[in-house]
Coordinates of all heavy atoms in Angstrom, one line a residue:
M580 N 113.2 122.2 69.5 CA 112.4 121.9 68.3 C 111.6 123.2 67.9 O 110.9 123.8 68.7 CB 111.3 120.8 68.6 CG 110.5 120.4 67.5 SD 111.3 119.5 66.1 CE 111.9 118.1 66.9
T581 N 111.8 123.6 66.7 CA 111.2 124.8 66.1 C 109.9 124.3 65.4 O 110.0 123.5 64.5 CB 112.1 125.6 65.1 OG1 113.3 125.9 65.9 CG2 111.5 126.8 64.6
R582 N 108.8 124.9 65.8 CA 107.5 124.6 65.2 C 107.1 125.6 64.1 O 107.0 126.8 64.4 CB 106.4 124.5 66.3 CG 106.8 123.5 67.4 CD 106.1 123.8 68.7 NE 106.6 125.1 69.1 CZ 106.1 125.9 70.0 NH1 105.1 125.4 70.8 NH2 106.6 127.0 70.3
L583 N 106.9 125.1 62.9 CA 106.5 126.0 61.8 C 105.2 125.6 61.2 O 104.8 124.5 61.0 CB 107.6 125.8 60.7 CG 109.0 126.3 61.1 CD1 110.0 125.9 60.0 CD2 109.1 127.7 61.4
V584 N 104.5 126.7 60.9 CA 103.2 126.5 60.1 C 103.6 126.8 58.6 O 104.4 127.7 58.3 CB 102.2 127.6 60.6 CG1 101.0 127.6 59.6 CG2 101.7 127.3 62.0
V585 N 103.1 126.0 57.7 CA 103.3 126.2 56.3 C 101.9 126.6 55.7 O 100.9 125.9 55.8 CB 103.8 124.9 55.6 CG1 103.9 125.1 54.1 CG2 105.1 124.5 56.2
A586 N 101.9 127.8 55.1 CA 100.7 128.3 54.5 C 100.9 128.2 53.0 O 101.8 128.8 52.4 CB 100.5 129.8 54.9
G587 N 100.1 127.3 52.4 CA 100.1 127.1 50.9 C 100.8 125.7 50.6 O 101.9 125.5 51.1
A588 N 100.0 124.9 50.0 CA 100.5 123.6 49.7 C 100.6 123.3 48.2 O 100.4 122.2 47.7 CB 99.5 122.5 50.3
G589 N 101.0 124.4 47.5 CA 101.3 124.2 46.1 C 102.7 123.7 45.9 O 103.3 123.1 46.9
A590 N 103.3 123.8 44.8 CA 104.6 123.2 44.5 C 105.7 123.7 45.5 O 106.5 122.9 46.1 CB 105.1 123.4 43.1
I591 N 105.7 125.0 45.8 CA 106.7 125.6 46.7 C 106.4 125.2 48.1 O 107.3 124.8 48.9 CB 106.8 127.1 46.5 CG1 107.2 127.4 45.0 CG2 107.8 127.7 47.5 CD1 108.5 126.9 44.6
G592 N 105.2 125.3 48.5 CA 104.8 124.9 49.9 C 105.1 123.4 50.1 O 105.6 123.1 51.2
R593 N 104.9 122.6 49.2 CA 105.2 121.1 49.3 C 106.7 120.9 49.5 O 107.2 120.1 50.3 CB 104.7 120.3 48.1 CG 103.2 120.2 48.1 CD 102.7 119.6 46.8 NE 101.3 119.8 46.7 CZ 100.4 118.9 46.5 NH1 100.8 117.6 46.3 NH2 99.1 119.1 46.4
R594 N 107.5 121.7 48.8 CA 109.0 121.7 48.9 C 109.4 122.1 50.3 O 110.2 121.4 51.0 CB 109.6 122.6 47.9 CG 111.1 122.2 47.6 CD 111.7 123.0 46.5 NE 110.9 122.9 45.3 CZ 111.0 123.7 44.3 NH1 111.9 124.8 44.3 NH2 110.3 123.6 43.2
H595 N 108.8 123.1 50.9 CA 109.1 123.5 52.2 C 108.7 122.4 53.2 O 109.4 122.1 54.2 CB 108.4 124.8 52.6 CG 109.0 126.0 52.0 ND1 110.3 126.5 52.4 CD2 108.6 126.8 51.0 CE1 110.6 127.6 51.7 NE2 109.6 127.8 50.8
L596 N 107.5 121.8 53.0 CA 107.1 120.7 53.9 C 108.1 119.6 53.9 O 108.4 119.1 55.0 CB 105.7 120.2 53.5 CG 104.5 121.0 53.8 CD1 103.3 120.4 53.1 CD2 104.2 121.0 55.3
A597 N 108.6 119.2 52.8 CA 109.6 118.2 52.7 C 110.9 118.5 53.4 O 111.5 117.7 54.1 CB 109.9 117.8 51.2
H598 N 111.3 119.8 53.3 CA 112.6 120.2 54.0 C 112.4 120.2 55.5 O 113.3 119.9 56.2 CB 113.0 121.6 53.4 CG 113.6 121.5 52.1 ND1 114.8 120.8 51.8 CD2 113.1 122.0 50.9 CE1 115.0 121.0 50.5 NE2 114.1 121.7 49.9
I599 N 111.2 120.7 55.9 CA 110.9 120.7 57.4 C 110.9 119.3 57.9 O 111.5 119.0 59.0 CB 109.6 121.5 57.7 CG1 109.8 123.0 57.3 CG2 109.2 121.4 59.1 CD1 108.5 123.8 57.2
D600 N 110.2 118.4 57.2 CA 110.1 117.0 57.7 C 111.5 116.4 57.7 O 111.7 115.5 58.6 CB 109.2 116.2 56.7 CG 107.7 116.5 57.0 OD1 107.4 117.0 58.1 OD2 106.9 116.2 56.1
A601 N 112.4 116.8 56.9 CA 113.7 116.1 56.8 C 114.7 116.7 57.8 O 115.7 116.1 58.1 CB 114.3 116.3 55.4
H602 N 114.3 117.8 58.5 CA 115.3 118.4 59.4 C 114.9 118.0 60.8 O 113.8 118.1 61.3 CB 115.2 120.0 59.3 CG 116.3 120.7 59.9 ND1 116.5 120.8 61.3 CD2 117.3 121.3 59.4 CE1 117.5 121.4 61.6 NE2 118.1 121.8 60.4
P603 N 115.9 117.5 61.6 CA 115.6 117.0 62.9 C 115.2 118.0 63.9 O 114.6 117.7 64.9 CB 117.0 116.3 63.3 CG 118.0 117.0 62.5 CD 117.3 117.4 61.2
D604 N 115.5 119.3 63.7 CA 115.2 120.3 64.6 C 113.9 121.1 64.3 O 113.6 122.1 65.0 CB 116.3 121.3 64.8 CG 117.6 120.6 65.4 OD1 117.4 119.7 66.2 OD2 118.7 121.1 65.0
L605 N 113.2 120.7 63.2 CA 112.0 121.4 62.8 C 110.8 120.4 62.9 O 110.9 119.2 62.7 CB 112.2 121.9 61.4 CG 113.3 122.8 61.1 CD1 113.4 123.2 59.6 CD2 113.2 124.1 62.0
H606 N 109.6 121.0 63.1 CA 108.4 120.3 63.2 C 107.3 121.1 62.5 O 107.2 122.3 62.7 CB 108.0 120.1 64.6 CG 106.7 119.5 64.8 ND1 106.4 118.2 64.6 CD2 105.5 120.1 65.3 CE1 105.1 118.0 64.9 NE2 104.6 119.1 65.3
V607 N 106.5 120.4 61.6 CA 105.3 121.1 61.0 C 104.2 121.1 62.0 O 103.7 120.1 62.4 CB 104.9 120.4 59.7 CG1 103.6 121.0 59.1 CG2 106.0 120.3 58.7
A608 N 103.9 122.3 62.5 CA 102.8 122.5 63.5 C 101.4 122.5 62.8 O 100.5 122.0 63.5 CB 103.0 123.8 64.2
A609 N 101.4 123.0 61.6 CA 100.1 123.0 60.9 C 100.3 123.4 59.4 O 101.3 123.9 59.1 CB 99.1 124.1 61.5
L610 N 99.3 123.0 58.6 CA 99.3 123.3 57.2 C 98.1 124.2 57.0 O 97.0 123.8 57.5 CB 99.2 122.1 56.4 CG 99.0 122.3 54.9 CD1 100.2 123.0 54.3 CD2 98.8 120.9 54.2
I611 N 98.3 125.3 56.3 CA 97.2 126.2 56.0 C 96.9 126.1 54.5 O 97.8 126.5 53.7 CB 97.5 127.7 56.3 CG1 98.0 127.8 57.8 CG2 96.3 128.6 56.0 CD1 97.0 127.4 58.8
D612 N 95.8 125.5 54.1 CA 95.5 125.4 52.7 C 94.0 125.1 52.6 O 93.5 124.2 53.3 CB 96.3 124.3 52.0 CG 96.2 124.4 50.5 OD1 95.2 124.0 49.9 OD2 97.2 125.0 49.9
P613 N 93.2 125.8 51.8 CA 91.8 125.5 51.7 C 91.4 124.2 51.0 O 90.2 123.8 51.2 CB 91.2 126.7 50.9 CG 92.4 127.2 50.1 CD 93.6 126.9 50.9
N614 N 92.3 123.5 50.4 CA 92.0 122.3 49.7 C 92.1 121.1 50.7 O 93.2 120.8 51.2 CB 93.0 122.1 48.6 CG 92.7 120.8 47.8 OD1 91.9 120.0 48.1 ND2 93.4 120.7 46.7
P615 N 90.9 120.5 51.0 CA 91.0 119.3 52.0 C 91.9 118.2 51.6 O 92.4 117.5 52.4 CB 89.5 118.9 52.0 CG 88.7 120.0 51.4 CD 89.6 120.7 50.5
A616 N 92.1 118.0 50.3 CA 93.0 116.9 49.8 C 94.4 117.1 50.2 O 95.2 116.1 50.3 CB 92.9 116.9 48.3
T617 N 94.8 118.3 50.6 CA 96.2 118.5 51.0 C 96.5 118.0 52.4 O 97.6 117.9 52.9 CB 96.6 120.0 51.0 OG1 95.7 120.8 51.9 CG2 96.5 120.6 49.6
S618 N 95.4 117.5 53.1 CA 95.6 116.9 54.4 C 96.6 115.7 54.4 O 97.2 115.4 55.4 CB 94.3 116.5 55.0 OG 93.5 117.6 55.3
E619 N 96.6 115.0 53.2 CA 97.4 113.8 53.1 C 98.9 114.2 53.0 O 99.8 113.3 53.1 CB 97.0 113.0 51.9 CG 97.2 113.7 50.6 CD 96.6 113.1 49.4 OE1 95.5 112.5 49.5 OE2 97.2 113.1 48.3
L620 N 99.3 115.5 52.9 CA 100.7 115.8 52.7 C 101.5 115.8 54.0 O 102.7 115.7 54.0 CB 100.8 117.2 52.1 CG 100.2 117.4 50.7 CD1 100.3 118.9 50.3 CD2 100.9 116.5 49.7
T621 N 100.8 115.9 55.1 CA 101.5 115.9 56.4 C 100.5 115.4 57.5 O 99.3 115.4 57.3 CB 101.9 117.4 56.8 OG1 102.5 117.4 58.1 CG2 100.7 118.3 56.8
Q622 N 101.1 115.0 58.6 CA 100.3 114.5 59.7 C 99.9 115.7 60.6 O 99.0 115.5 61.5 CB 101.1 113.5 60.6 CG 101.4 112.2 59.8 CD 102.1 111.2 60.7 OE1 102.4 111.4 61.8 NE2 102.4 110.1 60.0
A623 N 100.4 116.8 60.3 CA 100.0 118.0 61.1 C 98.5 118.4 60.7 O 98.1 118.1 59.6 CB 100.9 119.2 60.7
P624 N 97.9 119.1 61.6 CA 96.5 119.5 61.3 C 96.5 120.5 60.2 O 97.4 121.3 60.0 CB 96.0 120.1 62.6 CG 97.2 120.4 63.4 CD 98.3 119.5 63.0
R625 N 95.4 120.5 59.4 CA 95.2 121.4 58.2 C 94.1 122.3 58.6 O 93.0 121.9 59.1 CB 94.9 120.6 57.0 CG 94.8 121.5 55.7 CD 94.0 120.9 54.6 NE 92.6 120.5 55.0 CZ 91.6 121.4 54.9 NH1 91.8 122.7 54.6 NH2 90.4 121.0 55.3
F626 N 94.2 123.6 58.2 CA 93.2 124.6 58.4 C 93.0 125.3 57.1 O 93.9 125.5 56.3 CB 93.6 125.6 59.5 CG 93.8 124.9 60.8 CD1 95.1 124.5 61.2 CD2 92.8 124.8 61.7 CE1 95.3 123.9 62.4 CE2 93.0 124.1 62.9 CZ 94.3 123.7 63.3
D627 N 91.8 125.8 56.9 CA 91.5 126.6 55.6 C 92.2 127.9 55.6 O 92.5 128.4 54.5 CB 90.0 126.8 55.5 CG 89.2 125.5 55.2 OD1 89.9 124.5 54.7 OD2 88.0 125.5 55.3
S628 N 92.4 128.5 56.8 CA 93.0 129.8 56.8 C 93.8 129.9 58.1 O 93.6 129.2 59.1 CB 92.0 131.0 56.8 OG 91.3 131.0 58.0
L629 N 94.7 130.9 58.2 CA 95.5 131.1 59.4 C 94.6 131.5 60.5 O 94.8 131.2 61.7 CB 96.6 132.1 59.2 CG 97.6 132.3 60.3 CD1 98.2 131.0 60.8 CD2 98.7 133.2 59.9
A630 N 93.6 132.3 60.2 CA 92.6 132.7 61.3 C 92.0 131.6 62.0 O 91.7 131.6 63.2 CB 91.6 133.7 60.7
D631 N 91.8 130.4 61.3 CA 91.2 129.2 61.9 C 92.2 128.4 62.7 O 91.8 127.5 63.5 CB 90.7 128.3 60.8 CG 89.6 129.0 60.0 OD1 88.9 129.8 60.5 OD2 89.4 128.6 58.8
C632 N 93.5 128.7 62.6 CA 94.5 127.9 63.2 C 94.8 128.3 64.6 O 95.1 129.4 64.9 CB 95.8 128.0 62.4 SG 97.2 127.1 63.1
G633 N 94.6 127.3 65.5 CA 94.9 127.6 66.9 C 96.2 127.0 67.4 O 96.5 126.9 68.6
E634 N 97.0 126.4 66.5 CA 98.2 125.7 66.9 C 99.3 126.7 67.3 O 99.3 127.8 66.8 CB 98.7 124.9 65.7 CG 97.8 123.8 65.2 CD 97.4 122.8 66.2 OE1 98.3 122.3 66.9 OE2 96.2 122.5 66.4
D635 N 100.1 126.3 68.3 CA 101.2 127.1 68.7 C 102.4 126.9 67.8 O 102.6 125.7 67.4 CB 101.5 126.6 70.2 CG 102.5 127.6 70.8 OD1 102.6 128.8 70.5 OD2 103.3 127.1 71.7
A636 N 103.0 127.9 67.4 CA 104.2 127.8 66.5 C 105.2 128.9 66.8 O 104.9 129.9 67.5 CB 103.7 127.9 65.1
D637 N 106.4 128.7 66.2 CA 107.4 129.7 66.3 C 107.5 130.6 65.1 O 108.1 131.7 65.2 CB 108.8 129.0 66.5 CG 108.8 128.1 67.8 OD1 108.6 128.7 68.9 OD2 108.9 126.9 67.7
G638 N 107.0 130.1 64.0 CA 107.1 130.8 62.8 C 106.2 130.2 61.7 O 105.6 129.2 61.9
I639 N 106.3 130.9 60.5 CA 105.4 130.5 59.4 C 106.2 130.6 58.1 O 107.1 131.5 58.0 CB 104.2 131.3 59.3 CG1 103.2 130.8 58.3 CG2 104.5 132.8 59.2 CD1 101.8 131.4 58.4
V640 N 106.0 129.7 57.2 CA 106.5 129.8 55.8 C 105.2 130.1 55.0 O 104.2 129.4 55.0 CB 107.1 128.4 55.3 CG1 107.4 128.5 53.9 CG2 108.3 128.1 56.2
I641 N 105.3 131.3 54.3 CA 104.2 131.7 53.5 C 104.5 131.5 52.1 O 105.3 132.1 51.5 CB 103.9 133.2 53.8 CG1 103.5 133.5 55.3 CG2 102.7 133.7 52.9 CD1 103.4 134.9 55.7
A642 N 103.8 130.5 51.5 CA 103.9 130.1 50.1 C 102.6 130.0 49.4 O 102.3 129.2 48.6 CB 104.6 128.7 50.1
T643 N 101.8 131.0 49.8 CA 100.5 131.2 49.1 C 100.6 132.1 47.9 O 101.7 132.6 47.7 CB 99.5 131.9 50.2 OG1 100.1 133.1 50.5 CG2 99.3 131.0 51.4
P644 N 99.5 132.2 47.1 CA 99.6 133.2 46.0 C 100.0 134.6 46.6 O 99.6 135.0 47.7 CB 98.2 133.2 45.5 CG 97.7 131.8 45.8 CD 98.3 131.5 47.1
T645 N 100.7 135.3 45.8 CA 101.3 136.6 46.2 C 100.2 137.6 46.8 O 100.5 138.2 47.8 CB 102.0 137.3 45.0 OG1 103.0 136.4 44.5 CG2 102.6 138.6 45.4
Q646 N 99.1 137.6 46.2 CA 98.0 138.5 46.7 C 97.5 138.2 48.1 O 96.9 139.0 48.7 CB 96.8 138.6 45.7 CG 96.0 137.3 45.6 CD 96.5 136.4 44.5 OE1 97.6 136.5 44.0 NE2 95.7 135.4 44.1
D647 N 97.9 137.0 48.6 CA 97.5 136.6 49.9 C 98.6 136.8 51.0 O 98.3 136.6 52.2 CB 97.1 135.1 49.9 CG 95.9 134.8 49.1 OD1 95.0 135.8 48.8 OD2 95.7 133.7 48.6
H648 N 99.8 137.1 50.5 CA 100.9 137.3 51.5 C 100.6 138.3 52.5 O 100.9 138.1 53.7 CB 102.2 137.6 50.7 CG 102.7 136.5 49.9 ND1 103.9 136.7 49.2 CD2 102.3 135.3 49.6 CE1 104.2 135.5 48.5 NE2 103.2 134.7 48.8
E649 N 100.1 139.5 52.2 CA 100.0 140.5 53.2 C 99.1 140.1 54.3 O 99.4 140.3 55.5 CB 99.5 141.8 52.5 CG 99.3 143.0 53.4 CD 98.7 144.2 52.8 OE1 98.5 144.3 51.6 OE2 98.5 145.2 53.6
A650 N 97.9 139.6 54.0 CA 96.9 139.3 55.1 C 97.5 138.1 55.9 O 97.3 138.1 57.2 CB 95.6 138.9 54.4
T651 N 98.1 137.1 55.3 CA 98.7 136.0 56.1 C 99.8 136.5 57.0 O 99.9 136.1 58.1 CB 99.2 134.9 55.1 OG1 98.1 134.5 54.3 CG2 99.7 133.7 55.9
F652 N 100.7 137.4 56.4 CA 101.7 137.9 57.2 C 101.2 138.7 58.4 O 101.7 138.7 59.5 CB 102.7 138.7 56.4 CG 103.8 139.3 57.2 CD1 104.8 138.6 57.8 CD2 103.7 140.7 57.6 CE1 105.8 139.1 58.6 CE2 104.7 141.3 58.4 CZ 105.7 140.5 58.9
A653 N 100.2 139.6 58.1 CA 99.7 140.4 59.2 C 99.2 139.6 60.3 O 99.4 139.9 61.5 CB 98.6 141.3 58.6
E654 N 98.5 138.5 60.1 CA 98.0 137.6 61.1 C 99.2 136.9 61.9 O 99.2 136.8 63.1 CB 97.1 136.5 60.6 CG 96.6 135.5 61.6 CD 95.7 136.1 62.7 OE1 95.1 137.1 62.5 OE2 95.7 135.4 63.8
A655 N 100.2 136.5 61.1 CA 101.4 135.9 61.7 C 102.1 136.9 62.6 O 102.6 136.6 63.7 CB 102.3 135.3 60.7
A656 N 102.2 138.2 62.1 CA 102.9 139.2 62.9 C 102.1 139.5 64.2 O 102.8 139.7 65.3 CB 103.0 140.5 62.1
R657 N 100.8 139.5 64.2 CA 100.0 139.7 65.4 C 100.3 138.6 66.4 O 100.2 138.8 67.6 CB 98.5 139.7 65.0 CG 98.0 141.0 64.5 CD 96.5 141.1 64.5 NE 95.9 140.3 63.4 CZ 95.8 140.6 62.2 NH1 96.3 141.7 61.8 NH2 95.3 139.8 61.3
R658 N 100.6 137.4 65.9 CA 100.9 136.3 66.8 C 102.4 136.3 67.3 O 102.8 135.5 68.1 CB 100.6 135.0 66.1 CG 99.2 134.8 65.8 CD 98.9 133.5 64.9 NE 97.6 133.4 64.5 CZ 96.9 132.3 64.5 NH1 97.4 131.2 64.9 NH2 95.6 132.3 64.1
G659 N 103.2 137.2 66.7 CA 104.6 137.3 67.1 C 105.5 136.2 66.5 O 106.6 136.0 67.0
W660 N 105.0 135.7 65.4 CA 105.8 134.6 64.7 C 106.8 135.2 63.7 O 106.6 136.3 63.1 CB 104.9 133.8 63.8 CG 103.9 132.9 64.6 CD1 103.9 132.7 66.0 CD2 102.9 132.1 64.1 NE1 102.9 131.9 66.3 CE2 102.2 131.5 65.2 CE3 102.4 131.9 62.8 CZ2 101.2 130.6 65.0 CZ3 101.4 131.0 62.6 CH2 100.7 130.4 63.7
H661 N 107.9 134.5 63.6 CA 108.9 134.8 62.5 C 108.3 134.3 61.2 O 107.4 133.4 61.2 CB 110.2 134.1 62.8 CG 110.9 134.5 64.0 ND1 111.7 135.6 64.1 CD2 110.8 134.0 65.3 CE1 112.1 135.7 65.3 NE2 111.6 134.8 66.1
A662 N 108.7 134.9 60.1 CA 108.1 134.6 58.8 C 109.1 134.5 57.7 O 110.0 135.3 57.6 CB 107.0 135.6 58.4
L663 N 109.0 133.4 56.9 CA 109.7 133.3 55.6 C 108.6 133.5 54.6 O 107.7 132.7 54.6 CB 110.4 132.0 55.5 CG 111.2 131.8 54.2 CD1 112.3 130.8 54.5 CD2 110.4 131.3 53.0
I664 N 108.7 134.5 53.7 CA 107.7 134.8 52.7 C 108.3 134.6 51.4 O 109.4 135.1 51.0 CB 107.2 136.2 52.8 CG1 106.7 136.5 54.3 CG2 106.1 136.5 51.8 CD1 106.5 137.9 54.6
E665 N 107.7 133.7 50.6 CA 108.2 133.4 49.2 C 108.1 134.7 48.4 O 107.2 135.6 48.7 CB 107.3 132.3 48.6 CG 107.8 130.9 49.0 CD 109.2 130.6 48.5 OE1 109.7 131.1 47.5 OE2 109.8 129.8 49.2
K666 N 108.9 134.8 47.4 CA 108.8 135.9 46.5 C 107.8 135.7 45.4 O 107.4 134.6 45.1 CB 110.2 136.1 45.9 CG 110.7 135.0 45.0 CD 112.1 135.2 44.5 CE 112.4 134.0 43.6 NZ 113.7 133.9 43.2
P667 N 107.3 136.8 44.8 CA 107.5 138.2 45.3 C 106.8 138.4 46.6 O 105.8 137.8 47.0 CB 106.9 139.0 44.2 CG 105.9 138.1 43.5 CD 106.4 136.7 43.7
L668 N 107.4 139.3 47.4 CA 106.9 139.6 48.7 C 105.5 140.0 48.7 O 104.7 139.6 49.6 CB 107.8 140.7 49.4 CG 107.6 141.0 50.8 CD1 107.8 139.8 51.7 CD2 108.5 142.1 51.3
A669 N 105.1 140.9 47.8 CA 103.7 141.4 47.7 C 103.5 141.9 46.3 O 104.5 142.1 45.5 CB 103.6 142.6 48.7
P670 N 102.2 142.2 46.0 CA 102.0 142.6 44.6 C 102.4 144.1 44.3 O 102.5 144.5 43.2 CB 100.5 142.4 44.4 CG 99.9 142.4 45.8 CD 101.0 141.9 46.7
D671 N 102.5 144.9 45.4 CA 102.9 146.3 45.2 C 103.6 146.9 46.4 O 103.6 146.3 47.5 CB 101.7 147.1 44.8 CG 100.6 147.0 45.9 OD1 100.8 147.2 47.1 OD2 99.4 146.7 45.5
L672 N 104.2 148.0 46.2 CA 105.0 148.6 47.3 C 104.2 149.0 48.5 O 104.6 148.9 49.6 CB 105.8 149.8 46.7 CG 106.8 150.5 47.7 CD1 107.8 149.5 48.2 CD2 107.5 151.7 47.0
A673 N 102.9 149.5 48.2 CA 102.1 149.8 49.3 C 101.8 148.6 50.3 O 101.8 148.8 51.5 CB 100.7 150.4 48.8
S674 N 101.6 147.5 49.7 CA 101.4 146.3 50.5 C 102.7 146.0 51.3 O 102.6 145.6 52.5 CB 101.1 145.1 49.6 OG 99.9 145.2 48.9
V675 N 103.9 146.1 50.7 CA 105.1 145.9 51.4 C 105.2 146.9 52.6 O 105.6 146.5 53.7 CB 106.3 146.0 50.5 CG1 107.6 146.0 51.3 CG2 106.3 144.9 49.4
D676 N 104.9 148.1 52.4 CA 104.9 149.1 53.4 C 104.0 148.7 54.6 O 104.4 148.9 55.8 CB 104.5 150.5 52.9 CG 105.6 151.1 52.0 OD1 106.8 150.7 52.1 OD2 105.3 152.0 51.3
R677 N 102.8 148.2 54.3 CA 101.9 147.8 55.4 C 102.5 146.5 56.1 O 102.3 146.4 57.3 CB 100.5 147.5 54.8 CG 99.8 148.7 54.3 CD 98.3 148.5 54.0 NE 98.2 147.6 52.8 CZ 98.1 148.0 51.6 NH1 98.2 149.3 51.3 NH2 98.0 147.1 50.6
M678 N 103.1 145.7 55.4 CA 103.7 144.5 56.0 C 104.9 144.9 56.9 O 105.0 144.4 58.0 CB 104.2 143.5 54.9 CG 103.1 142.9 54.1 SD 103.7 142.0 52.6 CE 104.3 140.5 53.3
I679 N 105.6 145.9 56.5 CA 106.7 146.4 57.4 C 106.1 147.0 58.7 O 106.6 146.8 59.8 CB 107.6 147.4 56.6 CG1 108.4 146.7 55.6 CG2 108.5 148.2 57.6 CD1 109.1 147.7 54.6
A680 N 105.0 147.8 58.5 CA 104.4 148.4 59.7 C 103.8 147.3 60.6 O 103.9 147.4 61.8 CB 103.2 149.3 59.2
A681 N 103.3 146.2 60.0 CA 102.7 145.1 60.8 C 103.9 144.4 61.6 O 103.7 144.1 62.8 CB 102.0 144.1 60.0
A682 N 105.0 144.3 61.0 CA 106.2 143.7 61.7 C 106.7 144.6 62.8 O 107.0 144.1 63.9 CB 107.3 143.4 60.7
E683 N 106.7 145.9 62.6 CA 107.2 146.8 63.6 C 106.2 146.9 64.7 O 106.6 147.1 65.9 CB 107.4 148.2 62.9 CG 108.6 148.2 62.0 CD 108.8 149.5 61.2 OE1 107.8 150.3 61.1 OE2 109.9 149.7 60.7
A684 N 104.9 146.7 64.5 CA 103.9 146.8 65.6 C 104.0 145.6 66.5 O 103.8 145.6 67.6 CB 102.5 146.9 65.0

């Protein structure tokens, strides 16, 4: 069973939640979204930020606003998680370069 955190519960994040729920080998470990109303989208625990999340996971789906991708990915990389990041990857090339450095570290 692969445990995934979903960051962002907008339209794209909700689509990812549905696909994970429908797959027999995947499990939603946590939802990261600052809106308390999104708790009803999944039985997994909800956290305001990834820094608040203590759940164990294998990877993360980052479907937050683009300007938040870099910080969310950096935290996921520190945890050693695999990541699927929605496009665009980052708002600028410098952010992408820092994300690559975080992955390499």
Side-chain angles (χ1 to χ4, degrees):
M580 182 69 63
T581 301
R582 299 157 301 170
L583 298 172
V584 170
V585 176
I591 301 301
R593 290 171 193 232
R594 200 174 306 161
H595 283 290
L596 283 170
H598 287 294
I599 294 166
D600 283 339
H602 196 288
D604 295 330
L605 300 177
H606 171 75
V607 177
L610 174 63
I611 309 300
D612 196 282
N614 181 353
T617 60
S618 291
E619 65 190 36
L620 298 175
T621 180
Q622 293 184 2
R625 184 201 60 83
F626 300 92
D627 288 344
S628 71
L629 184 53
D631 297 333
C632 176
E634 300 300 312
D635 189 28
D637 301 298
I639 186 167
V640 175
I641 300 175
T643 58
T645 303
Q646 66 270 15
D647 298 334
H648 288 183
E649 181 182 354
T651 304
F652 175 74
E654 176 64 25
R657 279 191 289 280
R658 295 174 186 221
W660 292 355
H661 297 276
L663 182 151
I664 306 169
E665 278 297 330
K666 63 183 183 192
L668 186 61
D671 54 53
L672 187 55
S674 296
V675 173
D676 288 340
R677 289 188 297 269
M678 292 168 79
I679 291 169
E683 290 173 340

